[in-house]
Amino acid sequence: AKVVGKDLEECLYYLSLAMGSVHEWTRKWRMVINCDPNKTEVICFNTYNTESLPESFSLGDRTIYLTDSSKVLGIVLDKNLNFKEHSKFVYNKLIFRWVCMCRYSNRNWGMHQVVLVRLVKTVMFSSLFYGSIIWMNNSNLKTIHSLWYKISK
């Protein structure tokens, strides 16, 4: 649920109302919400007064914890929406894929260069461009550019 308010107290009030109605609805339909970490979390965007935020929220008899970042559909959202953590995640994923591909080919042996270039583009671009319209900007791409330069050599 998305909660918007003029100040933090108003947001917390509307959040408690939303959590209450979600709890009533799930109880009515005999549904169970998975409140484990990385499944159901609370993240506050554009919050200047972070010390007055509670560490956890209750949904009936379950507890949902406040977090600074959360992965949603493969994209890591952080509280500042600068996507630095997601770009590190993509960088590490690209490094892993490059290391796996280097096991099967080298400059002197392995796949032909044309095949290797096509494979690199296929494997790397799928990770790099997933959700790129949301997270990709110049500040997030500095390390990825250096990796791409190494790969293209």
Side-chain angles (χ1 to χ4, degrees):
K2 175 182 165 184
V3 176
V4 179
K6 295 176 186 173
D7 56 3
L8 182 62
E9 290 77 25
E10 187 176 344
C11 286
L12 291 175
Y13 172 73
Y14 287 136
L15 181 63
S16 67
L17 287 179
M19 299 268 249
S21 64
V22 167
H23 175 66
E24 290 299 320
W25 186 84
T26 55
R27 198 177 70 194
K28 175 183 175 183
W29 295 103
R30 297 181 185 148
M31 296 176 70
V32 177
I33 295 179
N34 185 357
C35 291
D36 293 339
N38 296 329
K39 291 294 180 185
T40 305
E41 298 171 326
V42 174
I43 185 168
C44 294
F45 303 108
N46 297 331
T47 304
Y48 301 107
N49 189 8
T50 58
E51 56 270 350
S52 61
L53 283 171
E55 293 287 322
S56 62
F57 300 88
S58 62
L59 181 64
D61 58 345
R62 297 183 176 246
T63 303
I64 301 173
Y65 294 100
L66 180 70
T67 184
D68 290 336
S69 65
S70 182
K71 187 186 249 188
V72 179
L73 296 174
I75 296 178
V76 181
L77 299 173
D78 56 359
K79 66 180 182 178
N80 297 323
L81 291 176
N82 59 16
F83 300 99
K84 295 284 185 193
E85 199 170 327
H86 182 72
S87 65
K88 289 178 190 174
F89 172 73
V90 169
Y91 177 77
N92 290 333
K93 187 190 264 187
L94 293 175
I95 287 282
F96 175 75
R97 289 182 175 194
W98 177 244
V99 168
C100 288
M101 289 176 59
C102 286
R103 291 180 188 161
Y104 301 108
S105 186
N106 198 339
R107 289 184 181 188
N108 301 321
W109 54 270
M111 293 180 253
H112 191 270
Q113 183 180 3
V114 175
V115 175
L116 189 59
V117 168
R118 178 153 312 192
L119 188 61
V120 164
K121 285 181 179 180
T122 304
V123 171
M124 300 292 191
F125 284 178
S126 63
S127 294
L128 183 62
F129 293 134
Y130 178 76
S132 62
I133 189 113
I134 297 169
W135 69 270
M136 195 179 282
N137 60 36
N138 287 337
S139 65
N140 290 340
L141 287 178
K142 289 178 184 174
T143 55
I144 294 175
H145 277 285
S146 64
L147 173 65
W148 188 251
Y149 178 73
K150 290 176 190 174
I151 289 171
S152 62
K153 279 175 96 178

